Amino acid sequence: MLRRMYLNPVCRLQCGRNPALFTGMKGKIIALLLIFGNLSAQEVEISSADALFQMALASNPAVRNAALQRDLAGITRKIAGVNAFSPRVPVSYQALDNIALQKTYVPGVIFGQPEGSYKELIMGQKYVATFNLSPQFDILNFSNRAQRRAAVVNEELAELSEKQAQRDIHLQINAAFHNVISFDRQKHILEENLEVARKIRTITGNRFEEGIARSQEVNEAEVNVVTLENSLVQLEENRRLQVELLKLLARPEGDLRIREETDTGPAPELRAEGSLEADLARTRTRMAGQDVRSARLDQWPVLSAVSSFNWQSLDNRFFYGSGSSAIYFAYVGLKLSWDLPTNVQKVSNLKNREVQWKIAENNRELAEEQQVYDNLRLETELRKAQLQLESLQKIETLKKDTFEKNFAQFEENILPLDKLLISQNDWLTSRLNEAAGAVNVKYNYEILRINNRY
């Protein structure tokens, strides 16, 4: 958006005195407006779905989220490497005012009193301040080490999920892009046929004025023109929707201008070799296996190195008084902790993970079989599209020949209008089918190539 431009008082005064200066400045302002207008109306010309996909890699939220999930998995893997030793340094500090110290009764004999008597003593300090530092880490924690391996597999899974998100966006862009190309081809065909329909309308109108054609024929010729005009309008609206979808997926910086690449001939032979879905299922199975291993090792004991360093201040007057007693005590050692297998939660977790692993194993088997079928289906779809295009091209050639001969007879007033319109509609349909079939071959070829890429 252009901001409003203000002239300073000196410029206003000089411009008022010198019209030529004002005219020159006015020309500069107009030039600036034209420059900014061109910048705001900048178009991005695209001739391939791959170019749009490269834009989507940097700007599409779904692709960015998948990349962030991969980064998050990498962070989790790094943390799991450290967590294998579970290092921790608890620090605590407390200052206690013992407003009522505990009383202790000791045998009176110690103090020279009769046998069986007790003496009441109050032990402890009123003000106690303690600072504690307790570094510790696990020497042997089999479950945490298994989780580190699981984090590595999880990172691989995140990378595959990122590829899956990219592939899905790429396939959506590929479909919308080829829809636009198909609509452009159909538009060209409809415009050519519209010119022919208008010519037929003119010939029919002239004959009606000469009294050798009926008004019904004029109406039919007009209906033919209106139908083609409406088809063009509908085509433009459908094309606009597909372009908006491409903008939503690729998020280009400017308006999109789609053009078809120069046809370089038939596409080279390509076999379907996609393996993404099968790879995902295999990695999920490995992940489930690591979870089972971690749950089993969670039953094992944990050996830890423990320590504690304490600084304590004791006083009966107030905290840290001049006569307070400073005490330091510490320990280092080993600690073995073990939840016996009777821990219900751990046993339940192990059984649950084992069932999930079996499910993942079944899904892997199904995914590998489905991957083989999907690759075969992609090859078959491409081959069918190629064979269909050959048939559609032959049909279009025959329908064109029929229409041209019928049109020549119509111009000589030998063939009635209704038969000419039927042959024109047949030829138009065959041309539209042939155009859609040609784009369909490219579309299926790109689908196969995209699946092989991932």
Side-chain angles (χ1 to χ4, degrees):
M1 181 182 293
L2 288 175
R3 294 182 177 177
R4 187 174 179 181
M5 300 180 66
Y6 293 95
L7 300 178
N8 61 51
V10 176
C11 290
R12 289 201 297 269
L13 181 60
Q14 291 178 351
C15 292
R17 292 178 180 176
N18 190 345
L21 180 61
F22 177 76
T23 303
M25 182 168 291
K26 181 179 179 182
K28 293 179 180 179
I29 294 174
I30 293 175
L32 286 173
L33 290 173
L34 290 174
I35 291 173
F36 283 122
N38 289 334
L39 289 175
S40 63
Q42 184 179 5
E43 285 187 338
V44 179
E45 186 175 281
I46 296 297
S47 59
S48 69
D50 285 345
L52 286 167
F53 176 65
Q54 292 304 317
M55 295 180 184
L57 283 179
S59 57
N60 188 281
V63 175
R64 292 205 306 267
N65 283 343
L68 290 173
Q69 290 292 337
R70 171 180 47 79
D71 294 342
L72 184 61
I75 294 173
T76 302
R77 174 184 55 79
K78 294 175 182 178
I79 293 175
V82 178
N83 195 51
F85 301 95
S86 188
R88 49 206 182 276
V89 186
V91 177
S92 65
Y93 175 80
Q94 65 177 3
L96 302 178
D97 180 0
N98 295 302
I99 57 175
L101 291 172
Q102 183 177 357
K103 294 180 181 180
T104 303
Y105 294 91
V106 297
V109 177
I110 299 175
F111 299 96
Q113 294 181 358
E115 186 75 26
S117 64
Y118 292 90
K119 183 174 179 60
E120 180 182 293
L121 295 177
I122 297 178
M123 302 180 65
Q125 297 287 322
K126 180 173 174 56
Y127 298 100
V128 180
T130 305
F131 176 78
N132 172 262
L133 183 67
S134 302
Q136 50 190 296
F137 63 92
D138 293 342
I139 299 175
L140 290 177
N141 190 326
F142 301 101
S143 179
N144 282 359
R145 292 188 179 186
Q147 288 177 8
R148 181 177 59 179
R149 298 188 185 96
V152 173
V153 178
N154 182 61
E155 186 177 19
E156 296 176 11
L157 185 60
E159 291 173 355
L160 290 173
S161 296
E162 181 185 17
K163 289 183 178 180
Q164 187 181 45
Q166 292 179 358
R167 183 203 60 185
D168 293 345
I169 295 295
H170 204 163
L171 289 174
Q172 292 180 55
I173 290 175
N174 181 59
F177 176 81
H178 283 92
N179 279 338
V180 172
I181 297 301
S182 179
F183 290 147
D184 286 341
R185 288 193 178 193
Q186 293 178 48
K187 178 183 176 182
H188 177 70
I189 294 171
L190 286 172
E191 288 174 343
E192 288 184 349
N193 274 265
L194 182 59
E195 291 300 319
V196 175
R198 286 170 177 167
K199 186 175 181 181
I200 294 173
R201 181 181 62 182
T202 300
I203 294 173
T204 306
N206 292 337
R207 289 178 180 176
F208 177 73
E209 292 178 357
E210 295 172 3
I212 56 176
R214 297 173 299 169
S215 61
Q216 295 93 321
E217 293 178 327
V218 176
N219 292 340
E220 289 301 321
E222 182 65 29
V223 168
N224 190 35
V225 171
V226 172
T227 300
L228 289 173
E229 289 175 343
N230 179 65
S231 296
L232 272 172
V233 172
Q234 298 296 326
L235 194 65
E236 283 289 346
E237 291 300 315
N238 289 332
R239 184 188 188 280
R240 184 178 63 83
L241 284 176
Q242 293 301 308
V243 172
E244 290 300 320
L245 177 58
L246 287 175
K247 289 181 180 179
L248 182 64
L249 293 172
R251 300 175 184 267
E253 297 179 357
D255 291 333
L256 272 181
R257 182 172 179 269
I258 306 296
R259 67 174 180 84
E260 186 175 6
E261 284 183 320
T262 304
D263 198 348
T264 56
E269 290 293 328
L270 189 65
R271 295 192 60 84
E273 299 173 349
S275 62
L276 179 58
E277 301 299 337
D279 290 342
L280 275 167
R282 294 188 195 104
T283 307
R284 291 191 181 106
T285 302
R286 288 172 55 205
M287 186 69 188
Q290 287 296 333
D291 288 340
V292 171
R293 186 170 184 271
S294 177
R296 284 175 180 168
L297 293 177
D298 198 26
Q299 310 281 342
W300 288 37
V302 176
L303 179 63
S304 305
V306 296
S307 62
S308 180
F309 303 91
N310 301 268
W311 291 265
Q312 194 172 70
S313 175
L314 306 174
D315 202 315
N316 278 324
R317 289 171 296 179
F318 199 68
F319 297 107
Y320 301 103
S322 58
S324 61
S325 301
I327 301 175
Y328 168 74
F329 56 96
Y331 67 82
V332 293
L334 297 176
K335 176 184 176 182
L336 185 67
S337 58
W338 187 20
D339 284 338
L340 293 175
T342 53
N343 187 313
V344 177
Q345 183 62 40
K346 290 185 177 182
V347 173
S348 174
N349 185 49
L350 173 60
K351 297 301 181 182
N352 183 274
R353 296 291 176 84
E354 287 176 343
V355 171
Q356 291 180 359
W357 174 78
K358 291 178 182 178
I359 293 174
E361 185 67 25
N362 291 334
N363 289 337
R364 177 197 59 78
E365 184 179 351
L366 291 173
E368 289 177 343
E369 294 173 352
Q370 184 67 36
Q371 188 76 72
V372 174
Y373 170 78
D374 287 343
N375 287 339
L376 177 62
R377 177 180 57 81
L378 290 175
E379 292 180 0
T380 303
E381 291 294 331
L382 177 58
R383 190 160 50 248
K384 285 169 54 181
Q386 291 170 334
L387 294 174
Q388 185 183 41
L389 177 59
E390 293 176 4
S391 299
L392 293 174
Q393 288 173 336
K394 293 177 182 178
I395 294 173
E396 190 275 334
T397 300
L398 295 173
K399 293 295 184 181
K400 177 182 179 181
D401 181 67
T402 300
F403 171 74
E404 289 176 346
K405 291 177 179 177
N406 286 344
F407 187 75
Q409 292 179 353
F410 174 75
E411 287 184 310
E412 296 174 4
N413 205 14
I414 299 176
L415 187 75
L417 176 63
D418 56 345
K419 291 187 177 181
L420 174 66
L421 295 181
I422 291 173
S423 64
Q424 183 196 14
N425 184 66
D426 290 344
W427 181 42
L428 171 62
T429 301
S430 66
R431 290 189 69 187
L432 294 176
N433 289 339
E434 188 270 338
V439 175
N440 191 43
V441 171
K442 293 184 176 181
Y443 166 70
N444 280 282
Y445 177 82
E446 288 300 314
I447 288 181
L448 196 150
R449 187 179 65 84
I450 290 170
N451 278 274
N452 284 355
R453 177 177 177 179
Y454 298 98

